[in-house]
Amino acid sequence: MILEGTVKSITFHSPQNGFTVLRLVESSSKKVVVVTGTLPELTVGESLRFEGDWGRHPKFGEQFQARHFEIVETGNRNLAAYLGSGLFPGIGPKTAQAIVDAFGDGLQDILDYEPDRFREKVRSKKIKGFSARKVEGFLAHWQESRHSRETLLFLYNHDITGSTAKKLWMKFGQETVSKIRENPYMLCEEIWGIGFLKADEIAMKLGIEKDSPMRLQEAVLYSLQEASLSDGHCYLPSATLIGRTLKNLRIDATDDDAVQQVMAQFNRVCESGRIRRHGDDCFYPPLDNAEQNIAETIKRRLSENELPTYGFERELVDWEREHKFSFHPVQREAIRLATAHRICIITGGPGTGKTTILKGILHLARKMGENILLAAPTGRAAKRMGDCCGEKAYTIHRLLEVDPVTKKFNRNETNRLDCNLLVVDEFSMVDTWLASSLLQAVPESARIVFVGDADQLPSVGPGNVLNDLLQCPRIPSVRLQHIFRQSGDNDIADKAAKINQGITPSPIEGPNFHFIPFETPDEARAHLQQLIATGVRSKIDIDLKADLQILVPMRKGPLGIIELNPFLQDLLNPGVPRHKMVGVGWSVGDRVMQVKNNYDKNVFNGDIGTVYSIYKEKRKIAVFFDEKLITYQDDELDELQLAYACTIHKSQGSEYPAVIVVLDSSHYVMLQRNLIYTAITRAKGHVWVLSAPGAFHQAVRNNRSTRRYTRLKERLS
């Protein structure tokens, strides 16, 4: 059914998903009707044609539910309302009406195609308050509004809405539609959140054939990049890549003709260099280059790796005497290796003395007058490292001086870091991309010490760099296994070590390690409520909102972070007004997490902040991150999520005084040893494990972590 009319008022519009409720003056009957649908930001006075159906809302009554829409030519009366709606700076209702009266019919065509004629006539008519400066500003806004509106209409009609549509317009401007028509699959690469299936759906609407070479080639490329972004692979075997491509194309593997067509286009992509093959290994070329750069840089360092260590022992003995402390032999060996080689690795779990070793390394470096740089992948890890070592520590992105426009690093092989010693903590979190960039930026003469826990989860991004380097016998490394007693006989490190060996601790319960079984999600929530009310503070005196972290394996499910965060918000930040934006009730004081890198704002994936203020009328939120205040418009709030609960993956690099780990049977696919080990080792003071029947024991037993396809180990040999 078709409905046509003029926008009388906008009742509601969500910039996040485009859902809109408006009142429309129907063209034929002149009745005011309610229209709902996914629409761009419209303006009073615009004329639109909708395709959809009438429906009845149980509370608000009869509504027209629009599926598709288009702007139609606006009559003079409506055009005056449109121009005077506030969309055009300096143009009020009186000036708008004067412009319409001066030009009559054909005003839109004149504005679109004859701006000089418009300027001339405005000068001759001498419209009051419409100066030459305002005329130029008005014309510029008209063209911008015209093109942006046409573009947004196109995007919304293809279900690309809210912040995603805005990002496309900001990036490509007037060329957005032509670029999408030329190759809809570029959306997969250009915009975060648009996958192949969505781009493919748009391509089908635009008339691209299912057997189009472009479609098949883009499916191959997307499948390879998806394997990198989603699963951490640096390459895929050709058969695996073809299998993933067929799945994305929804092609049955028994359809021989369709499979042969995909194979033909796969070969063409490889021949063109868009996929680089090494035997049966298929690499995305930039990732292939990154892995090769790591290998070559390290091999150059290994060729001249031995450094003099005169006075090493004497200085350590002096430090021990001053601090009334003696290094363990394995700690002393780790310090010696770090002092005597251009590259070395120190790995070990919690309580194994990594921080003590770092202090020894830094003491010797200061004595030698070296310029020291400390770095870690996340802001929290960098802060913790700096506090422990008495030196300022940087995130790797900040150390390398990321350019917010190009997203490239200003520190590189032609503009290296100024240091004699670089120490990188939490190196297990560093992926292939970042490791390559970092290594290229370090002077050849400088020493590098990588520190991390090889038994934790691998990096979110592609590769398994720390473990691959540890498998290279030429790289000096120390694996710390002895657990040094902590103050108060904290048993978390001991139990984590047993879990890492596949042993369920016995007894499970201990001074700092607590185990609570549950049968149902409701029972788990009841336990959480009790712990937050009294249980946690009975063991440790902390600010619950700031220092307690709930960790779960997954985002979805009855005990995933999507369901848990609003529940925990009511418990940890009660009695504070909620302001609903983009489907989330935000409150001042909320704990939030940045979930993607934003180079413009200088905040990065995993950064934790606190909501400082909410400007509901202006639809924006201010968040306090590490001594800086960052403002988000409502169409940017997809970058934030409540963080009372977060995934275990997102917690890497962080430590908390108290941690509650929730393991449900619905998390079956994620219940692996390195996951539970990572979760438990986030706790410094106390950890509570809430487990459904068998979930904890299953995680401890399951050491079958998903293999990542990398070739770094072979390239180092």
Side-chain angles (χ1 to χ4, degrees):
M1 185 174 181
I2 303 297
L3 179 70
E4 190 172 316
T6 305
V7 178
K8 180 178 177 65
S9 62
I10 310 291
T11 306
F12 174 80
H13 174 74
S14 168
Q16 180 62 27
N17 58 25
F19 180 74
T20 302
V21 181
L22 60 84
R23 298 171 75 223
L24 190 83
V25 180
E26 204 266 327
S27 297
S28 57
S29 68
K30 304 303 179 186
K31 289 182 179 178
V32 178
V33 298
V34 176
V35 178
T36 66
T38 302
L39 305 168
E41 192 170 356
L42 300 169
T43 307
V44 171
E46 288 190 290
S47 294
L48 297 111
R49 183 181 295 114
F50 298 99
E51 179 185 336
D53 297 292
W54 287 101
R56 178 167 289 277
H57 191 280
K59 183 176 179 180
F60 300 111
E62 193 174 45
Q63 299 176 340
F64 188 84
Q65 297 162 351
R67 292 189 301 272
H68 301 288
F69 60 93
E70 60 182 273
I71 289 180
V72 299
E73 187 173 346
T74 305
N76 281 348
R77 184 171 65 84
N78 295 330
L79 187 57
Y82 175 57
L83 296 180
S85 65
L87 183 65
F88 302 93
I91 307 296
K94 289 184 178 180
T95 304
Q97 190 61 57
I99 294 171
V100 171
D101 291 343
F103 285 88
D105 295 337
L107 173 59
Q108 284 186 256
D109 286 340
I110 293 171
L111 288 169
D112 287 345
Y113 307 112
E114 299 180 87
D116 287 339
R117 183 180 167 190
F118 180 82
R119 293 185 182 96
E120 184 181 338
K121 194 158 187 175
V122 167
R123 281 197 299 269
S124 67
K125 291 289 183 179
K126 296 181 179 179
I127 297 173
K128 187 177 180 181
F130 203 33
S131 65
R133 181 176 61 82
K134 284 187 178 180
V135 168
E136 294 307 316
F138 167 73
L139 286 171
H141 275 87
W142 174 269
Q143 291 298 326
E144 175 75 8
S145 173
R146 173 195 168 202
H147 289 297
S148 66
R149 186 58 48 82
E150 290 173 353
T151 298
L152 291 176
L153 283 168
F154 174 87
L155 295 174
Y156 272 66
N157 270 321
H158 289 89
D159 299 321
I160 300 174
T161 62
S163 61
T164 304
K166 181 180 176 181
K167 288 169 187 173
L168 279 167
W169 169 253
M170 294 299 292
K171 185 164 187 173
F172 297 113
Q174 297 179 23
E175 297 181 356
T176 304
V177 175
S178 62
K179 282 186 174 292
I180 293 174
R181 289 189 181 280
E182 182 183 344
N183 180 9
Y185 300 100
M186 67 89 173
L187 294 166
C188 303
E189 300 178 22
E190 298 291 348
I191 300 297
W192 181 69
I194 297 181
F196 180 82
L197 294 181
K198 179 63 165 178
D200 198 40
E201 181 184 318
I202 295 169
M204 296 297 103
K205 288 181 181 177
L206 295 175
I208 292 176
E209 300 293 333
K210 285 190 174 184
D211 60 353
S212 160
M214 176 179 69
R215 178 177 184 252
L216 302 183
Q217 289 181 25
E218 293 294 339
V220 173
L221 289 165
Y222 173 78
S223 300
L224 184 58
Q225 291 177 35
E226 179 192 40
S228 164
L229 294 170
S230 301
D231 301 320
H233 298 304
C234 289
Y235 74 92
L236 284 180
S238 59
T240 305
L241 175 54
I242 294 298
R244 294 179 74 127
T245 303
L246 294 175
K247 184 178 179 181
N248 282 324
L249 289 168
R250 288 155 289 183
I251 292 174
D252 192 325
T254 61
D255 186 343
D256 292 339
D257 289 341
V259 171
Q260 287 303 313
Q261 287 181 322
V262 172
M263 288 294 301
Q265 298 308 319
F266 163 72
N267 290 328
R268 292 193 62 178
V269 171
C270 294
E271 290 165 4
S272 70
R274 297 173 75 188
I275 288 177
R276 191 175 294 162
R277 295 190 69 174
H278 300 289
D280 196 46
D281 302 345
C282 300
F283 281 86
Y284 178 50
L287 195 50
D288 182 35
N289 293 339
E291 200 175 77
Q292 188 62 37
N293 286 337
I294 295 171
E296 290 176 355
T297 304
I298 288 176
K299 284 196 285 189
R300 283 198 302 272
R301 289 184 167 275
L302 292 174
S303 65
E304 300 179 4
N305 201 23
E306 294 288 337
L307 297 171
T309 57
Y310 304 121
F312 160 79
E313 283 291 344
R314 186 179 65 253
E315 290 291 349
L316 273 194
V317 170
D318 290 345
W319 193 87
E320 288 174 320
R321 189 180 296 114
E322 180 184 346
H323 292 83
K324 299 178 180 177
F325 169 87
S326 294
F327 288 105
H328 188 277
V330 73
Q331 293 177 317
R332 190 177 295 272
E333 174 61 11
I335 297 170
R336 188 193 68 78
L337 282 178
T339 307
H341 297 88
R342 294 199 191 280
I343 185 168
C344 84
I345 303 170
I346 300 168
T347 180
T352 56
K354 295 193 296 294
T355 300
T356 302
I357 292 168
L358 282 185
K359 289 178 179 178
I361 293 169
L362 295 177
H363 169 73
L364 293 176
R366 294 185 191 107
K367 284 289 185 179
M368 291 186 287
E370 292 186 321
N371 189 11
I372 302 165
L373 286 176
L374 306 182
T378 68
R380 282 186 160 242
K383 186 178 185 308
R384 188 178 71 249
M385 186 186 190
D387 292 344
C388 291
C389 297
E391 296 267 350
K392 183 173 176 58
Y394 303 84
T395 65
I396 297 173
H397 281 82
R398 292 186 178 96
L399 184 72
L400 297 179
E401 299 174 11
V402 63
D403 188 312
V405 178
T406 64
K407 313 295 190 290
K408 295 180 179 179
F409 296 116
N410 291 322
R411 294 288 186 172
N412 48 44
E413 64 272 20
T414 60
N415 182 29
R416 298 185 189 270
L417 296 165
D418 181 17
C419 65
N420 305 110
L421 170 66
L422 171 67
V423 182
V424 185
D425 200 10
E426 297 288 352
F427 194 68
S428 64
M429 297 177 63
V430 177
D431 64 22
T432 300
W433 297 114
L434 195 55
S436 174
S437 297
L438 180 63
L439 284 165
Q440 290 183 79
V442 182
E444 295 282 349
S445 58
R447 291 180 294 127
I448 303 174
V449 181
F450 293 137
V451 183
D453 188 346
D455 296 314
Q456 287 188 32
L457 293 168
S459 59
V460 175
N464 198 357
V465 180
L466 176 58
N467 274 286
D468 284 347
L469 297 186
L470 285 168
Q471 292 183 63
C472 176
R474 295 176 60 201
I475 300 176
S477 65
V478 174
R479 185 179 287 269
L480 308 171
Q481 294 178 314
H482 179 78
I483 295 175
F484 297 89
R485 283 290 156 195
Q486 301 174 345
S487 60
D489 287 333
N490 189 315
D491 62 332
I492 294 175
D494 282 329
K495 285 185 166 54
K498 285 186 172 62
I499 289 167
N500 196 35
Q501 299 167 32
I503 302 169
T504 300
S506 181
I508 295 181
E509 195 71 26
N512 300 83
F513 192 102
H514 316 284
F515 185 83
I516 302 174
F518 66 85
E519 295 289 337
T520 66
D522 285 343
E523 189 181 343
R525 289 191 183 91
H527 286 307
L528 284 170
Q529 191 166 1
Q530 188 275 324
L531 285 170
I532 290 168
T534 59
V536 172
R537 283 198 174 128
S538 71
K539 300 290 186 181
I540 183 171
D541 184 18
I542 58 170
D543 178 349
L544 292 178
K545 192 160 64 172
D547 298 328
L548 171 67
Q549 185 63 59
I550 288 82
L551 299 178
V552 295
M554 299 177 71
R555 287 178 49 79
K556 298 180 180 179
L559 292 174
I561 64 169
I562 295 173
E563 294 284 340
L564 279 182
N565 266 315
F567 171 76
L568 294 167
Q569 183 189 37
D570 290 339
L571 297 176
L572 291 164
N573 196 21
V576 184
R578 309 285 190 237
H579 303 279
K580 196 142 188 178
M581 285 187 271
V582 300
V584 177
W586 308 93
S587 297
V588 172
D590 274 339
R591 180 189 182 97
V592 295
M593 177 183 286
Q594 180 79 14
V595 295
K596 63 171 295 191
N597 291 337
N598 188 317
Y599 299 96
D600 295 322
K601 297 183 187 294
N602 200 31
V603 287
F604 301 95
N605 191 356
D607 284 355
I608 297 286
T610 303
V611 176
Y612 180 78
S613 56
I614 297 174
Y615 309 93
K616 193 174 182 183
E617 296 77 16
K618 298 180 180 179
R619 301 191 66 79
K620 64 181 183 181
I621 290 177
V623 180
F624 194 75
F625 289 99
D626 293 334
E627 302 178 355
K628 60 180 181 286
L629 198 63
I630 306 296
T631 300
Y632 296 80
Q633 298 293 333
D634 56 355
D635 62 359
E636 298 175 312
L637 290 177
D638 60 339
E639 297 183 11
L640 287 180
Q641 68 180 32
L642 293 174
Y644 298 105
C646 74
T647 64
I648 297 168
H649 278 86
K650 289 288 189 184
S651 73
Q652 291 182 89
S654 298
E655 286 184 346
Y656 312 93
V659 168
I660 300 173
V661 185
V662 183
L663 304 174
D664 189 30
S665 53
S666 64
H667 304 152
Y668 178 84
V669 71
M670 298 291 291
L671 295 177
Q672 298 170 356
R673 188 183 303 166
N674 60 353
L675 189 91
I676 189 67
Y677 173 81
T678 300
I680 289 167
T681 56
R682 299 308 90 205
K684 292 190 296 182
H686 286 262
V687 61
W688 287 261
V689 177
L690 275 58
S691 174
F696 176 71
H697 304 286
Q698 178 186 326
V700 173
R701 290 194 303 268
N702 182 12
N703 199 32
R704 298 188 300 275
S705 55
T706 305
R707 179 194 172 185
R708 290 194 169 189
Y709 291 110
T710 75
R711 284 291 181 219
L712 181 57
K713 180 179 68 173
E714 288 81 2
R715 290 176 172 185
L716 286 165
S717 61

